[in-house]
Amino acid sequence: MNEELFISGRNIPNIDPYLNIWHWQIPIYLFLGGLAAGILFFAGLFTVMGKEKEMETTVKWATFLVPVALVLGLIALFLDLKHQLYFWRLYTVIRLQSPMSWGAWTLMIITPVSLIWAAAYMKELWPGWNWKMKILDDFDAWVNKNRKYVAWVMMFYAVILGIYTGILLSAFNARPLWNNSILGPLFLVSGMSTGAATIMWMSKSHYERKVMGRIDLLLITIELFLITHMIMGFLAGPSVQLEAANLFLGGQFTVSFWVFVIILGLLFPAALEVLELAGYKVPVAVPAFLILLGGLIFRFIMVEAGQITRYLY
Amino acid sequence: MTPEWAYGKTTIKPDLIRKTAREMAKAAPAVIVHPGRHVTWYGDDTQRIRAVAILNALLGSWGARGGFYMKETAHLPHETTPPFPTPKRTWRDAYPGQFKLASLALSSGICDATIPSSNRSCSFKAWIVYGTNLPLTLPNMDNTLNAISHLDFMVAIDTMPMEVTGYADVVLPECTYLERYDLIRTSPHREPYIALRMPAVEPKYDSKPGWWIAKQLAEKMGLGDYFPYDDITELLDWQLKEVGSSLEEMQKIGVKKLERTSGPLYFSKGENIEFNTPSGKIELYSNELAGEGFDPMPVFTKHPEPPQGFYRLIYGRAPMHTFSRTANNANLIDLKKENNVWINPKVAKLWDLKTGQYVWLKNQDGVISTYPIKVRITERIRWDSVYMVHGFGHSKKELTRAYGRGANDTEMITKVMMDPIMGGTGMRGNFITFLTEKPEEVES
Amino acid sequence: MRYAMAVDTKKCVGCSDCVVACQTENNVPIGFCRDWITETVDGSYPNVEIELRSERCNHCENAPCVRCCPTGASHIVDGGVVLVTHDECIGCGACIQSCPYDARYSHPDGYVDKCTFCMHRVEKGQLPACVAVCPTKCLYFGDLDDPNSDVSNALRNRKYKVLADEAGTNPQIYYLI
């Protein structure tokens, strides 16, 4: 029998018996960040493709959610900090090797950009809207004239936002569950999928819902592919990664992962989408809600399970 | 007695016993069988240690290179005092007719010798307890507390609060060894040495060094002449100067080796050695023991074995605690706040126990531990025994940090096998079984 | 200059003096520790081997905690020692997530804390607190670049190992086995 134990009474709060220092704030932020990234990406994409008229919700109305989501996400992050008075230190340096630094700066850029994007549609949303200051009116006009350029910027940063949420986790080589290169693309695709689901749910246009539905179906397929790859990678990896994979293949997260994330969050909505394509009427709220729920639960599971996996002890 | 017979008693394979014996014979006289520490186990301990000594003698290791060297202790002169009075009664009067061969006073039976009895003309009336937590150290705590209740007066001198300081009439707080001077340390070694014990920091609060307590008590009792110095540094300096050093030198170097004066470390071939025995030779057969009615040569005595479902209770120490006396210290509790019971994996499987689970212990006399103890399943203990660290399971609420943590091994030690020759307390004959559910008899 | 420490697992007895010395020297609150003792037991009674290790932050050469820190609060100083500037730490916990040795903890005051090789003592020519108090003298500290330092001498003639080698961190605490 092999035994390994601390004999000097070590029992550090949140670190022993297993790491649990990141709680609900981080998965909530990852979810909102991914959602925002997805919405902004599609908004930018369809603007660049010149389809503002057909994809109104995508390009205009869904983007109103983004600044709210990002601010809520930032508040969640701020609440997670333990030395909150010093949070401003994040913005005194750019550390290229730290994904958390990327995230801080990306958010610093994309939050105002998304706010500007949405705000520039205020006049369309409320015809009597007046910015009351000439400089703001001029800026509004400038943005609307240069939508395509702003869209490119927004798409670029949306991809960074979406992918960095995964790279953030994969940069922690001490957590075998997270330390794989698929996590970045996986979180990006998942974020885009939740974004597409939101747009689908919000939209009143049948055409738009069909397009976003098809895109979401594609994204779900890619996501399933990436998840399979990730698990296969674990099973072919070192023993610590095998143990990480076993958390989902018989361990404590098996039921929540397969039921809530894979079946309810991915397979079932995909099936509903296929039925819709085949001509059946499916209430759009069902797949959309399930995709969002699945995305949220996926991040909760990944953050909690990842902290449990380790190299030593 | 053959190795095969010993195998049945020890589970050590006969060929391993033979191989070991032959290797020792080949290496003799450069072999040592060390008696160990805390060696009172089953009540036949004098004979067992004598057997160890006999084995060493048969191997010729006394005074041989690679065996037992002839140790020497440094001798420091004593200060001049008035002659010590002869006590009218000694501790021996409390144990009439017993332990004639013991050379040091006994703690075993001290409680019985305190409770007045018609068998004796006298009992102990007062205790000065110096640095030992008697209620947890002596087996049979109820008896200890009963004895304390019969005392006229009890003083406890200690560094940290414990049960014993709670029962004392007077507590004299001593500062720790890092805060005081003590007498020069001179223990036996290859070369005689002197070692200074000096304070590293000033004592905290009102705690005082032991020498000061003794001197002040003496002054108050009119016996100040027995302490012919104002500060112990005077005595230390004088003693050190008598052996060619000084307090100043020792404060710099700490330890100093002196020249051997008792002769060489080892006996030389053909030398005629006289040992400290009646015949002057090493006595494998002891007339002295025979004269007192004991076995002149060690004889195998069967020790109690655990009944079915019970396991021998082995108690021991942890490096971060000093017996039961430090169980309330904040820093040390951070290192170890409770003891666990070490159980062999085979036994754990039988009982379906998991590491981290709490169980109550019940001993062969039906006594159940007041508090549960955490299980540690480990290969470090035999399948017929369990191990726990001594000094936990305190039930005094005033010991706020130690209260209720771990289990008290002293509670489980109800069977004491006293060595008839020298009164050693053998406590390894107690057996425990596990109770996984909280028993009703235990008060919470 | 490359500070490192060697721990002789054959001499460590698990007394935990190093833990208490560090706590008192560095004002580590009770309930937290910058160093600790791990016991590994192998085999089956009576053929059992135990290994005792005094563990702490490994001051890795390829420190993931320094790499992940978004503010640069976790940094490496001369000598390869990894330190945390308390006023620059925002308490995000990224470094705690990235340490394979669980050597870091979140101090109640908000910043992240860990073993500092007692740089405040080393700068004055003293040894780290744990090394200074070890009663079996099983801890060796010094400059690996100096062939005559305590740690270089310890590593020269003995077999040694590091912890979680496969994590790629290049730790600088060597365990003599």
Side-chain angles (χ1 to χ4, degrees):
Chain A
M1 173 185 147
N2 173 271
E3 213 190 333
E4 193 164 58
L5 64 160
F6 296 139
I7 57 168
S8 60
R10 180 184 142 141
N11 194 8
I12 301 179
N14 299 121
I15 313 277
D16 302 307
Y18 58 83
L19 186 60
N20 58 103
I21 198 160
W22 279 355
H23 303 290
W24 59 268
Q25 295 93 332
I26 302 295
I28 292 272
Y29 159 70
L30 294 176
F31 173 73
L32 291 172
L35 180 71
I39 295 177
L40 287 181
F41 178 76
F42 290 120
L45 180 69
F46 286 105
T47 307
V48 158
M49 282 164 62
K51 300 243 167 131
E52 297 97 319
K53 289 278 173 316
E54 297 94 322
M55 311 287 288
E56 268 211 325
T57 315
T58 312
V59 163
K60 299 175 191 174
W61 315 132
T63 59
F64 278 88
L65 286 179
V66 174
V68 177
L70 288 177
V71 167
L72 285 177
L74 280 168
I75 290 176
L77 279 188
F78 182 74
L79 289 176
D80 172 70
L81 292 183
K82 305 236 181 336
H83 213 204
Q84 283 158 350
L85 288 176
Y86 293 87
F87 80 96
W88 52 271
R89 288 275 187 194
L90 272 175
Y91 302 108
T92 56
V93 286
I94 302 181
R95 290 180 54 90
L96 288 172
Q97 286 203 307
S98 164
M100 212 174 251
S101 189
W102 293 10
W105 286 106
T106 305
L107 280 171
M108 179 72 122
I109 293 172
I110 208 167
T111 311
V113 167
S114 68
L115 192 62
I116 290 168
W117 180 276
Y121 281 120
M122 282 295 271
K123 291 212 172 141
E124 251 189 80
L125 182 63
W126 273 308
W129 185 261
N130 191 326
W131 286 112
K132 293 204 173 54
M133 287 205 309
K134 182 158 190 325
I135 186 165
L136 290 175
D137 274 323
D138 286 346
F139 190 54
D140 189 317
W142 182 88
V143 169
N144 277 306
K145 207 168 86 144
N146 294 297
R147 279 280 176 190
K148 282 222 166 41
Y149 300 109
V150 183
W152 277 111
V153 170
M154 209 163 70
M155 266 171 65
F156 177 69
Y157 278 103
V159 170
I160 295 189
L161 178 66
I163 207 169
Y164 118 88
T165 55
I167 292 185
L168 174 74
L169 297 185
S170 66
F172 298 131
N173 55 334
R175 312 258 79 84
L177 182 72
W178 295 343
N179 190 215
N180 61 82
S181 28
I182 289 199
L183 211 59
L186 175 57
F187 271 46
L188 174 64
V189 171
S190 171
M192 282 166 48
S193 156
T194 51
T198 312
I199 295 171
M200 204 168 73
W201 198 352
M202 277 179 75
S203 173
K204 305 268 185 300
S205 141
H206 181 75
Y207 169 73
E208 196 174 13
R209 295 222 287 261
K210 209 168 72 161
V211 169
M212 291 316 288
R214 288 222 183 92
I215 290 180
D216 219 341
L217 184 59
L218 178 65
L219 289 172
I220 288 178
T221 314
I222 297 177
E223 205 178 327
L224 283 166
F225 196 57
L226 289 178
I227 288 181
T228 310
H229 246 319
M230 185 174 80
I231 295 187
M232 279 173 67
F234 286 144
L235 292 175
S239 62
V240 284
Q241 287 197 320
L242 277 169
E243 278 161 31
N246 278 326
L247 284 173
F248 298 118
L249 303 171
Q252 58 194 112
F253 292 99
T254 311
V255 172
S256 41
F257 180 68
W258 289 99
V259 170
F260 288 106
V261 179
I262 302 293
I263 297 177
L264 285 182
L266 294 172
L267 289 175
F268 189 51
L272 289 179
E273 272 310 306
V274 169
L275 285 180
E276 180 121 45
L277 286 177
Y280 293 94
K281 263 240 162 302
V282 177
V284 73
V286 178
F289 174 72
L290 288 175
I291 291 172
L292 288 172
L293 186 68
L296 182 65
I297 292 185
F298 179 55
R299 284 158 177 78
F300 266 95
I301 291 178
M302 287 303 283
V303 167
E304 194 180 330
Q307 290 181 89
I308 290 176
T309 58
R310 60 206 301 171
Y311 271 91
L312 292 173
Y313 318 126
Chain B
M1 315 276 174
T2 59
E4 281 74 20
W5 169 88
Y7 171 48
K9 300 272 177 268
T10 61
T11 75
I12 300 177
K13 296 245 164 61
D15 37 288
L16 185 58
I17 296 177
R18 290 193 169 88
K19 185 168 162 206
T20 312
R22 289 187 179 124
E23 275 192 40
M24 286 167 76
K26 212 161 51 163
V31 187
I32 292 187
V33 183
H34 194 279
R37 288 181 63 88
H38 195 98
V39 288
T40 46
W41 300 342
Y42 305 113
D44 60 354
D45 310 289
T46 314
Q47 297 288 13
R48 187 185 75 253
I49 299 300
R50 219 170 96 67
V52 171
I54 289 173
L55 180 56
N56 280 301
L58 291 174
L59 289 164
S61 61
W62 293 103
R65 193 182 180 85
F68 288 89
Y69 57 76
M70 289 299 116
K71 57 189 164 66
E72 185 175 324
T73 316
H75 282 290
L76 292 168
H78 286 294
E79 63 280 28
T80 321
T81 60
F84 289 121
T86 336
K88 289 196 215 93
R89 286 194 290 255
T90 68
W91 62 270
R92 290 189 191 277
D93 293 291
Y95 303 90
Q98 293 179 292
F99 311 124
K100 302 212 195 82
L101 296 172
S103 51
L104 293 176
L106 294 175
S107 53
S108 206
I110 198 175
C111 296
D112 293 328
T114 304
I115 302 168
S117 155
S118 49
N119 299 346
R120 300 186 305 268
S121 57
C122 60
S123 339
F124 291 115
K125 294 250 198 257
W127 288 357
I128 300 182
V129 185
Y130 187 24
T132 167
N133 189 17
L134 287 179
L136 259 77
T137 263
L138 297 172
N140 202 343
M141 188 149 96
D142 290 334
N143 197 27
T144 310
L145 297 179
N146 185 21
I148 291 176
S149 70
H150 280 94
L151 286 171
D152 286 348
F153 185 56
M154 181 162 129
V155 179
I157 307 172
D158 217 320
T159 54
M160 283 178 240
M162 262 302 127
E163 280 84 352
V164 69
T165 55
Y167 282 105
D169 295 306
V170 173
V171 175
L172 298 174
E174 189 182 18
C175 51
T176 66
Y177 70 96
L178 290 168
E179 299 159 302
R180 62 179 197 240
Y181 279 99
D182 285 304
L183 294 178
I184 306 288
R185 184 183 163 96
T186 61
S187 39
H189 215 287
R190 303 172 69 89
E191 287 153 296
Y193 74 90
I194 46 177
L196 178 67
R197 297 183 283 188
M198 61 181 279
V201 288
E202 284 295 307
K204 287 184 100 152
Y205 319 115
D206 250 341
S207 58
K208 295 276 185 244
W211 68 263
W212 183 95
I213 295 176
K215 181 174 162 66
Q216 293 299 313
L217 285 173
E219 302 274 342
K220 290 263 188 307
M221 287 159 61
L223 301 169
D225 288 339
Y226 287 90
F227 292 81
Y229 47 82
D230 288 325
D231 196 275
I232 200 172
T233 46
E234 296 167 33
L235 170 67
L236 297 175
D237 196 31
W238 173 76
Q239 286 185 312
L240 289 167
K241 289 202 163 91
E242 293 284 314
V243 290
S245 177
S246 69
L247 185 60
E248 204 188 322
E249 182 189 20
M250 292 305 286
Q251 279 170 337
K252 286 201 203 67
I253 62 175
V255 183
K256 182 170 183 170
K257 287 200 277 197
L258 303 174
E259 295 289 318
R260 276 182 75 95
T261 53
S262 64
L265 266 177
Y266 308 111
F267 302 149
S268 32
K269 217 169 159 67
E271 194 184 336
N272 226 0
I273 311 289
E274 188 158 322
F275 285 90
N276 184 15
T277 58
S279 64
K281 296 191 201 295
I282 291 181
E283 295 187 0
L284 302 182
Y285 183 101
S286 168
N287 285 313
E288 261 185 301
L289 285 175
E292 292 295 326
F294 301 120
D295 289 319
M297 280 197 68
V299 166
F300 173 76
T301 51
K302 193 167 187 320
H303 299 136
E305 293 289 323
Q308 179 76 7
F310 280 73
Y311 305 89
R312 187 180 303 276
L313 175 65
I314 311 277
Y315 55 85
R317 315 282 174 239
M320 56 282 292
H321 278 289
T322 305
F323 313 106
S324 61
R325 291 163 56 211
T326 54
N328 208 47
N329 178 281
N331 279 93
L332 298 180
I333 283 209
D334 199 29
L335 298 179
K336 190 178 184 72
K337 67 177 197 288
E338 58 182 332
N339 51 0
N340 11 21
V341 59
W342 291 13
I343 300 179
N344 188 282
K346 293 186 176 63
V347 174
K349 199 158 153 202
L350 262 175
W351 286 79
D352 197 24
L353 297 171
K354 309 261 174 304
T355 291
Q357 178 180 354
Y358 279 90
V359 294
W360 279 260
L361 304 175
K362 179 163 118 163
N363 82 349
Q364 75 283 347
D365 295 327
V367 177
I368 302 179
S369 62
T370 314
Y371 301 110
I373 185 171
K374 215 173 190 178
V375 168
R376 173 182 168 184
I377 301 177
T378 174
E379 293 280 358
R380 291 182 66 182
I381 187 73
R382 248 167 80 115
W383 43 80
D384 65 351
S385 312
V386 296
Y387 170 83
M388 60 196 278
V389 167
H390 166 75
F392 290 91
H394 296 262
S395 46
K396 287 275 163 223
K397 286 215 173 69
E398 293 88 334
L399 297 168
T400 50
R401 293 191 203 99
Y403 174 68
R405 293 212 206 264
N408 187 351
D409 62 317
T410 314
E411 265 183 324
M412 296 288 104
I413 296 173
T414 51
K415 185 179 160 86
V416 173
M417 298 169 290
M418 205 195 265
D419 187 319
I421 301 179
M422 49 65 172
T425 320
M427 297 189 276
R428 308 280 193 191
N430 290 277
F431 313 108
I432 58 100
T433 186
F434 310 113
L435 300 171
T436 48
E437 300 282 313
K438 184 168 177 189
E440 287 122 39
E441 298 97 85
V442 171
E443 291 148 29
S444 48
Chain C
M1 187 158 66
R2 168 83 245 174
Y3 286 122
M5 198 183 274
V7 179
D8 191 344
T9 62
K10 296 264 185 259
K11 284 206 227 160
C12 176
V13 293
C15 70
S16 310
D17 270 11
C18 49
V19 179
V20 182
C22 170
Q23 279 182 321
T24 42
E25 174 73 25
N26 295 294
N27 289 319
V28 179
I30 297 237
F32 297 82
C33 56
R34 292 184 176 189
D35 60 349
W36 58 94
I37 310 284
T38 310
E39 175 181 314
T40 312
V41 182
D42 281 302
S44 147
Y45 186 91
N47 304 309
V48 178
E49 273 202 32
I50 72 168
E51 182 180 272
L52 291 167
R53 302 188 295 268
S54 170
E55 298 184 2
R56 55 190 55 63
C57 163
N58 289 266
H59 297 276
C60 309
E61 224 165 24
N62 181 20
C65 53
V66 172
R67 183 167 33 85
C68 290
C69 179
T71 60
S74 283
H75 61 284
I76 301 192
V77 298
D78 264 348
V81 180
V82 177
L83 298 176
V84 178
T85 314
H86 296 168
D87 286 344
E88 289 179 20
C89 174
I90 62 175
C92 68
C95 55
I96 297 180
Q97 299 287 348
S98 63
C99 176
Y101 308 102
D102 283 349
R104 288 169 167 257
Y105 59 91
S106 181
H107 193 281
D109 287 348
Y111 50 82
V112 167
D113 209 13
K114 67 178 195 66
C115 163
T116 58
F117 267 172
C118 281
M119 274 294 114
H120 61 284
R121 284 175 60 97
V122 173
E123 275 159 14
K124 291 193 277 197
Q126 297 171 311
L127 289 171
C130 51
V131 180
V133 301
C134 178
T136 59
K137 309 255 185 296
C138 75
L139 297 175
Y140 304 95
F141 176 82
D143 181 2
L144 270 185
D145 289 338
D146 170 11
N148 292 320
S149 67
D150 288 341
V151 68
S152 300
N153 285 327
L155 293 174
R156 188 168 296 124
N157 298 317
R158 295 275 301 272
K159 261 205 297 210
Y160 56 85
K161 70 174 190 187
V162 294
L163 295 180
D165 208 1
E166 63 276 18
T169 53
N170 203 350
Q172 298 300 310
I173 306 265
Y174 299 92
Y175 291 92
L176 307 179
I177 51 176

